[in-house]
Amino acid sequence: MATLSLRLPDSYHSMVKEIAAKDNISINQFIISAVVEKISALETHNYLEERAARGSRDKFMAVLTKVPNMQPAEHDR
């Protein structure tokens, strides 16, 4: 496991310390979860961009033509 030295403004440190204490976790655990959350968001964004780039509007429209033209069920209105 790597060690990272981090300079954090006092105001952020206070907030992190407070939130971590409320969640009964260490500051280290809080920062790790924040980093993991950010990585997950970025990876999801990248994945969706790659999928969109492979998409085809023509194929999408072809699938839509197969959807029946009818009113939704009462409970879906």
Side-chain angles (χ1 to χ4, degrees):
M1 188 178 299
T3 301
L4 177 67
S5 179
L6 178 68
R7 294 181 190 269
L8 195 62
D10 292 339
S11 59
Y12 290 148
H13 183 263
S14 296
M15 287 189 274
V16 167
K17 188 175 181 180
E18 200 174 294
I19 294 168
K22 285 181 185 176
D23 286 348
N24 294 320
I25 60 173
S26 68
I27 291 174
N28 191 62
Q29 288 172 310
F30 177 84
I31 292 172
I32 289 170
S33 78
V35 169
V36 169
E37 186 177 321
K38 183 64 176 186
I39 290 170
S40 176
L42 292 171
E43 288 297 312
T44 299
H45 183 265
N46 292 340
Y47 171 78
L48 292 174
E49 277 189 337
E50 289 170 10
R51 287 294 305 237
R54 293 193 318 252
S56 164
R57 183 163 182 79
D58 292 336
K59 288 180 182 177
F60 175 71
M61 297 307 287
V63 169
L64 281 184
T65 62
K66 297 177 182 180
V67 177
N69 187 12
M70 54 190 283
Q71 292 295 316
E74 187 65 34
H75 63 273
D76 284 337
R77 291 183 193 179

